[in-house]
Amino acid sequence: LLLNLYHQNVVLTLFGLGNGTAFIYLLVEAMVSGSASQHEVVYAYLTMVVGLSYLLLAYTFRTGWNRPLVGILNFLGSLAFFGAAFNRVIESELHVWEIVFFLLTIGGIYLAISLVRSRAVLLVSTLFLIAHFIYITFEYFGDSVSWPILLVILGFIFIALGYFSLSLNRKYLQ
């Protein structure tokens, strides 16, 4: 950290972030014992925290010498956060995650437009919202006769979400 502050080099910051992330995962691996399912839960929540920390670092780096890392950190942070949260939707037996994840993706779209002003966060949150719609319809309506009708309706919803995302991008981010 001190070497990075002294030299103020973007590549050094990137390698420092990579080494710090690897250190956190290795430290948690050394500390956690138990079954594979317990490891999966711990890693999902750890990845959500790492994703949030990347997003906060990207927000902090907006005005400074680390500005070139903002896009990368926004993309990796939102991908890590939403990916781990979507894993909790699929793997968790609590159905509360299905509602929470919907709210998280809507919050990600709001965050991308209002605070962060990032196309990467907007893209990742929209794609995970679409993936959530696909998962919910397959989970609850996959074995029914209405599945083909729901696929057509989902197609229209995806077109609407894509149009909405592109219009938000044009209106607020360009």
Side-chain angles (χ1 to χ4, degrees), residues 17-127:
L17 287 172
N19 285 329
T21 303
F23 173 74
I24 292 296
Y25 278 99
L26 291 173
L27 181 68
V28 168
E29 176 64 30
M31 292 173 57
V32 173
S33 63
S35 66
S37 64
Q38 289 174 340
H39 279 246
E40 183 179 330
V41 171
V42 168
Y43 282 131
Y45 288 115
L46 178 63
T47 305
M48 288 172 69
V49 170
V50 166
L52 279 177
S53 65
Y54 279 7
L55 288 171
L56 290 173
L57 280 172
Y59 185 75
T60 307
F61 290 166
R62 288 178 308 144
T63 58
W65 49 273
N66 280 323
R67 188 176 305 138
L69 293 177
V70 170
I72 295 168
L73 288 175
N74 275 332
F75 178 73
L76 291 177
S78 59
L79 187 66
F81 179 76
F82 288 120
F86 192 64
N87 179 358
R88 290 289 74 218
V89 170
I90 293 172
E91 298 295 328
S92 178
E93 295 176 7
L94 299 173
H95 295 291
V96 171
W97 267 106
E98 295 171 357
I99 298 168
V100 168
F101 187 76
F102 178 73
L103 296 174
L104 286 175
T105 53
I106 297 298
I109 291 171
Y110 176 75
L111 178 79
I113 298 301
S114 66
L115 185 64
V116 180
R117 302 186 72 77
S118 170
R119 289 185 185 114
V121 176
L122 179 65
L123 174 72
V124 170
S125 14
T126 303
L127 289 177

